[in-house]
Every structure is written in C-alpha cells, then in structure tokens.
Amino acid sequence: MIGLVAATAVFVGPVIEVGRWLPLRAWLNPGCSPVTLVAVLLLVSLGDALFNSTVVLPLLAGAGGLNSWSERRGLGK
C-alpha cells in the first residue's frame, strides 16, 4: 500500500503543482502546450502503470521537469 501511494504521488504531485501555478484557461495557450502535454501524459501513464506494474523512465524525467517548472514559477524567476 505504501508503494502504491508513493508511485501515485510521483505522477500526480507534479500535475497538481502545474494546476496550481497554471490556470485552466492557460492550458489551451500554445505557449503552455509542452507543460500541458507532459501533465496529461503523466496522468495517462499513471493509469497504465497501475494496471501493468511498469514505470517508464522518461516519464519520471517528465515528472521531474514539471516539478522544477513549478518551482521556478513559485520563485518568480
């Protein structure tokens, strides 16, 4: 159960941060499309990882990228 919660937090945590810093209206903006794409791919891959018990390493890199993006937004850089 601890592993399931931890794996879910790895994928959902960055998406929540993007939702916090990027309003839903801005998700359709072409300038925000890379961030939106990675967030949606993380949620889709979460569903796949829960059923197949696999985690694709590039998606973990995407989660880290979203996390660092939200950190930069929070610091005002």
Side-chain angles (χ1 to χ4, degrees):
M1 207 49 156
I2 293 171
L4 179 63
V5 170
T8 303
V10 166
F11 286 105
V12 175
V15 176
I16 290 172
E17 285 295 312
V18 168
R20 200 173 104 200
W21 291 108
L22 193 63
L24 196 55
R25 288 176 278 130
W27 282 49
L28 297 176
N29 184 358
C32 297
S33 61
V35 174
T36 305
L37 176 67
V38 173
V40 170
L41 283 176
L42 282 175
L43 290 179
V44 169
S45 68
L46 172 65
D48 184 48
L50 290 177
F51 290 115
N52 293 328
S53 181
T54 60
V55 175
V56 181
L57 291 179
L59 291 173
L60 289 176
L66 281 181
N67 207 12
S68 65
W69 176 84
S70 64
E71 279 294 314
R72 278 187 317 179
R73 290 286 285 197
L75 294 175
K77 291 184 180 178

